[in-house]
Amino acid sequence: MANRTTQAIVRFTNAFLLPGSNKPQPAGDYRVDHDEESIEGVSRLAWRRVGSFIHLPGIGVKISTHQMVPINAADLDAAIEKDNKTS
């Protein structure tokens, strides 16, 4: 079984709160990594997401420490949707 990591940039126009965090993250662009594993079928190859990670702080923020925080893909989608509705 093969694995891969895909990257995406997510833009928040408003501050947002990650589940399990007591401190809101500021608006900005954030790198998100999605770990996926292959699902081999008879006629084609598909990928299943097995984990997602958001990089904190956001892109362009100058700080001495950076972290990669696991995040549930559904929680990330909900935060993006909420941000889109308040924009």
Side-chain angles (χ1 to χ4, degrees):
M1 187 176 300
N3 295 317
R4 72 178 184 183
T5 299
T6 59
Q7 296 180 344
I9 304 296
V10 176
R11 174 169 288 160
F12 288 95
T13 56
N14 301 289
F16 64 100
L17 188 62
L18 295 173
S21 175
N22 57 358
K23 178 181 164 190
Q25 299 299 316
D29 294 336
Y30 290 82
R31 194 172 97 206
V32 176
D33 294 344
H34 299 288
D35 289 345
E36 301 169 318
E37 65 183 13
S38 64
I39 304 170
E40 296 183 31
V42 175
S43 62
R44 65 183 180 144
L45 177 66
W47 296 92
R48 173 180 47 216
R49 186 174 298 162
V50 294
S52 296
F53 303 87
I54 188 166
H55 293 256
L56 301 175
I59 296 171
V61 175
K62 303 295 181 198
I63 190 169
S64 61
T65 60
H66 293 264
Q67 56 184 329
M68 190 169 74
V69 178
I71 185 168
N72 181 298
D75 292 338
L76 178 62
D77 291 341
I80 293 168
E81 185 176 330
K82 181 179 179 182
D83 185 66
N84 289 338
K85 287 182 180 179
T86 58
S87 299

